[in-house]
Amino acid sequence: MPGHVHDDLVRHGVIEDPFFRLNERDCQWVDQEDWVYRCRFSWSAREGCPKRVLRFEGLDTVCSVFLNGDLIAESDNMFLPFEVDVSSLLRASNELVVEFSSAVRVAESRRAAYLAAERIDASVTTFYERSFLRKAQYMFGWDWGPRLVSCGVWKPVSLLEYDSRVTDVWARPKLVDGEWLVDVSWEGEKLSKPKLYTNRAQEVVSVGELSARIVVREPNLWWPRDFHASGERSASLHSGMISFGRDSLNFRYGLRTVELVREPDEWGESFEFVVNGERVFCKGANWIPDHSFPSLVSRDQYGSQVQAMRDLNFNMVRVWGGGLYESDAFYDACDAHGIMVWQDFPFACAYYSEDEAFLSSVEAEERSQIKRLRNHPSLVLWCGNNENQQMHEQRWGGAASPERFYGENIYDELLPRVLSSEDPDRPYVHGSPSGKVAGRDSNMDGVGDSHYWEVWHGKGDWKHYEESTSRFSSEFGFASSPSLHSWSKCLDRSTDWKFDSGAVRWHDKTLKGYEKYISFIELHYPKVNTLEDLFYYSQLNQRDAMRCGIEHYLMSESCAGTLVWQFNDCWPAQSWAVQDSEGRMKPASWELARLYAEACLITRDRGSLLEIYLVASKSQRWRNRWQSVSLYDTQSDKPKTFELLTHGDFAPRTPHLVATLPLDGINRDTAVLLIGAPTPGPHYQCRLLCEPKEARFVNCPLVAYLDSGEMYFADDEFPIVDLLVWDPDDLENVQSGAYEPYIEPLIEEWFLPKFRREPKRLVARSLAGYHEVEITRSRCSS
């Protein structure tokens, strides 16, 4: 504990792992049942603590709570912590029981009754059963995740004993006439004689019974990651402690201003974040819950995931509306690493109930979660929902869709009202996409943020990303296979290890049609015949798609941000994630790290010549900064090398042409460009001048040099593009990280991922095909 019932049943051998093969289908019965959890505990009174409450951080979801046989609480909101006074109910020996009712059965019953009362046709597909429960919506299934609705005590339960206590501290910084003031207020029980403790940079100028004011004499501002290069700018945090006799509470806050600028202009209407007066181009991804059973995600896992985002040069992450209000550990890590958080309220792709009990529960939930999160400087935007307005406008529910937008008053009235009292200083948008103007589609290019799915759900070829005129592309993505390591966790090697096996198809929830999905890969890459082909070609195709889209948005005069769909996965799946559920980074992550650096080089093929542009995310002044461009012929070992000088002042978010290379006389099907990076780190790029499936390579043997667990590959004859290496005896052996993906763009005695243990044999493939590999322990001369 905490946990979810599916995990408990797996642990006790009642069901098989629902992630394995098609087991998801076979354990649907679990969600039709009621489940009971019991806990027995001893208790003796603490001296001087007459008040005793049981605190439930999170119960998932519809349940009744009994203490020693007495009903003490009922709950039907996964997101709402609550407390019960048990001062008069405790005994020396106690039994606590939580009885969970089937969320599916309860939701279906509520749906039927509500639709009948509202005279809505029951065949409407977007008034789901999930619309009637305050529960993480993705657990009912999504186009990247399984339907594992589950239940359980998903957050801690504690017995609190006290005489007085402080329950909440709100630190509210504001800049007044050039001076940083922080108004601190608190809530609690039987509080008296407050004392506020700070460091020397903060001066307490007044303390009352329920509030105080601090003047920060030596302010260090909180900045997004982009602005951390100089010592003066970092993700600085300030701290304090409020004390009331025996009770105290620590708190942290950051000094920063944030605006969301939405102004009419020549392209439509802007959607741009300004932090501490600086325009910020937002670079990042959408975050979904990191596991199908969110209780299983540890604090360390949250920390490593946010660190991975930082390593990929993200400065923003969107917590998507079909998921959760995330753990404190998640927001703490974002505060520390300078990752801005766009937080959706958990409503997504559906109509929602508007009955009094449901709205009352929503309001209590929002007040609780807003108060929990409002001290985090990384939190820069509240957003009412994901795609609900678009869903209503485009009648995703078919002919039975209601004329009224059910749930609209939650986003347009309830949430703004709660925010006005609990967190009035942050921007809020009613939903994403947010382009609604004068009766037009809310997901229109040129206005607000947009979700650009015209490629995946429309035209298919990722080259059509270049048609987007989005002002802020908050969702766009291209699906791919997970790693072979992830496949090994969910497939039977003897029966399922085929690209089109039933189990492989089951782990594709993209709703595209499997043959269509494969055809998107084969537009650019060779025919998929094996599972290894699917993994290799689909991940490279995803990388190329993200490169095309992000480069287009970086070259745009009007776009102010890109958030790819999506960063992570909750189970082993073919999805749009750039990191699979086992934490393996896909090649697309390499491109994100390059493109999201403080500056990057972008190529444009104009037919007879190649143009190279430099795009910086903030103002740069560089002197004598050189990059190399090498033009290889795959049939030769002698490249032509050019040097680029990026010299001078570079305005942010403006493409600067730094070089043109003539392409006349170049054999495009044997040409490979290797382009250096304008910033430190392994952010070079490799470009073909033809479709990968048309490129001609020489397949040559490789020598692998093992050196203290690291491996180098040598080939003195021909360039090798997109090398993939694995240990066929142990698919976990290769360790990957943000800059150590399975697939490297170009190998010339190049460093590859470390091995956990020395491999006895290796499989290597590139765009030339499979290579013979000789392993030697001799040190590579290079």
Side-chain angles (χ1 to χ4, degrees), residues 4 19 78 136 138-139 144-146 148 154 285-309 314 317-320 322-327 329-330 486 565-573 575 577-585:
H4 280 85
F19 289 1
M78 178 181 182
Y138 81 105
M139 299 177 82
W144 36 258
L148 296 168
W154 81 288
N286 287 263
W287 167 271
I288 66 170
D290 214 27
H291 198 284
S292 289
F293 307 123
S295 61
L296 302 184
V297 184
S298 68
R299 183 176 185 88
D300 287 346
Q301 185 172 331
Y302 279 118
S304 63
Q305 288 289 62
V306 176
Q307 176 67 56
M309 295 181 204
F314 287 14
V317 60
R318 175 183 175 227
V319 181
W320 166 77
L324 308 160
Y325 308 93
E326 278 298 349
S327 158
F330 177 86
S486 289
W565 185 269
Q566 66 218 60
F567 175 70
N568 56 329
D569 264 329
C570 66
W571 80 315
S575 80
V578 299
Q579 179 206 67
D580 72 19
S581 61
E582 291 295 313
R584 298 303 173 106
M585 291 293 185

Side-chain angles (χ1 to χ4, degrees), residues 529-664:
N529 293 307
T530 66
L531 186 65
E532 288 82 1
D533 287 346
L534 176 66
F535 157 53
Y536 182 61
Y537 294 140
S538 70
Q539 288 200 358
L540 292 177
N541 197 46
Q542 180 195 42
R543 176 202 63 187
D544 298 347
M546 293 299 91
R547 172 193 288 166
C548 177
I550 295 172
E551 286 189 342
H552 168 68
Y553 290 127
L554 288 173
M555 294 284 286
S556 166
E557 294 181 78
S558 59
C559 184
T562 64
L563 302 177
V564 303
W565 185 269
Q566 66 218 60
F567 175 70
N568 56 329
D569 264 329
C570 66
W571 80 315
Q574 309 204 62
S575 80
W576 301 273
V578 299
Q579 179 206 67
D580 72 19
S581 61
E582 291 295 313
R584 298 303 173 106
M585 291 293 185
K586 301 180 184 180
S589 68
W590 180 279
E591 280 303 290
L592 294 183
R594 181 182 71 82
L595 292 165
Y596 284 167
E598 63 182 32
C600 67
L601 293 174
I602 296 174
T603 61
R604 284 292 177 260
D605 189 338
R606 306 301 187 191
S608 61
L609 56 85
L610 187 79
E611 297 176 343
I612 301 178
Y613 292 85
L614 185 145
V615 179
S617 60
K618 61 180 181 177
S619 296
Q620 301 281 2
R621 172 171 289 183
W622 285 329
R623 299 300 181 202
N624 300 321
R625 185 72 68 89
W626 294 85
Q627 288 81 45
S628 65
V629 177
S630 298
L631 179 61
Y632 289 82
D633 188 306
T634 62
Q635 311 300 303
S636 169
D637 65 342
K638 301 187 185 307
K640 297 178 181 178
T641 300
F642 308 87
E643 298 291 337
L644 304 182
L645 175 62
T646 50
H647 178 91
D649 299 329
F650 293 90
R653 295 162 52 178
T654 301
H656 300 272
L657 181 64
V658 294
T660 57
L661 301 179
L663 297 179
D664 292 333

Side-chain angles (χ1 to χ4, degrees), residues 132-366:
F132 297 86
L133 281 184
R134 295 308 298 139
K135 175 176 171 63
Q137 303 286 273
Y138 81 105
M139 299 177 82
F140 290 84
W142 221 267
D143 57 3
W144 36 258
R147 180 180 171 91
L148 296 168
V149 179
S150 205
C151 69
V153 183
W154 81 288
K155 287 195 172 185
V157 180
S158 53
L159 175 62
L160 308 178
E161 299 180 80
Y162 57 90
D163 178 41
S164 64
R165 64 168 174 164
V166 56
T167 55
D168 180 64
V169 177
W170 182 10
R172 189 177 174 187
K174 55 185 176 182
L175 186 61
V176 179
D177 297 329
E179 187 174 52
W180 278 101
L181 306 178
V182 184
D183 289 326
V184 183
S185 58
W186 50 85
E187 298 175 2
E189 300 176 50
K190 296 178 65 176
L191 301 178
S192 62
K193 298 180 181 179
K195 292 183 179 180
L196 189 61
Y197 298 91
T198 62
N199 61 25
R200 63 181 181 82
Q202 307 167 79
E203 179 184 348
V204 180
V205 295
S206 66
V207 180
E209 287 298 314
L210 296 174
S211 63
R213 171 164 286 185
I214 297 170
V215 177
V216 184
R217 301 300 185 190
E218 301 174 23
N220 289 319
L221 301 189
W222 186 93
W223 288 92
R225 187 192 179 285
D226 303 58
F227 298 90
H228 292 189
S230 70
E232 299 176 359
R233 292 185 173 185
S234 64
S236 296
L237 298 169
H238 295 264
S239 61
M241 183 180 75
I242 186 76
S243 173
F244 302 87
R246 299 193 333 181
D247 196 43
S248 63
L249 191 66
N250 295 313
F251 61 94
R252 294 196 311 173
Y253 63 92
L255 303 177
R256 61 106 182 91
T257 61
V258 60
E259 303 171 75
L260 176 60
V261 178
R262 304 192 64 177
E263 297 176 342
D265 57 25
E266 60 188 294
W267 298 287
E269 182 183 279
S270 64
F271 193 97
E272 181 176 43
F273 287 89
V274 177
V275 179
N276 298 328
E278 297 270 3
R279 299 166 61 216
V280 179
F281 188 94
C282 297
K283 303 173 291 188
N286 287 263
W287 167 271
I288 66 170
D290 214 27
H291 198 284
S292 289
F293 307 123
S295 61
L296 302 184
V297 184
S298 68
R299 183 176 185 88
D300 287 346
Q301 185 172 331
Y302 279 118
S304 63
Q305 288 289 62
V306 176
Q307 176 67 56
M309 295 181 204
R310 186 186 188 283
D311 290 343
L312 294 181
N313 294 318
F314 287 14
N315 63 16
M316 176 175 273
V317 60
R318 175 183 175 227
V319 181
W320 166 77
L324 308 160
Y325 308 93
E326 278 298 349
S327 158
D328 291 335
F330 177 86
Y331 302 98
D332 289 344
C334 289
D335 288 344
H337 289 299
I339 308 292
M340 297 179 289
V341 176
W342 164 329
Q343 177 70 52
D344 282 5
F345 287 99
F347 303 91
C349 303
Y351 293 107
Y352 283 89
S353 169
E354 293 182 347
D355 73 27
E356 185 175 343
F358 185 83
L359 295 180
S360 177
S361 180
V362 167
E363 180 167 349
E365 164 200 322
E366 310 306 358

Side-chain angles (χ1 to χ4, degrees), residues 750-770:
W750 196 259
F751 168 71
L752 276 173
K754 291 184 178 181
F755 286 79
R756 297 194 309 173
R757 61 187 66 87
E758 187 174 305
K760 295 180 180 179
R761 58 191 181 118
L762 290 171
V763 175
R765 74 178 298 178
S766 71
L767 288 181
Y770 285 90

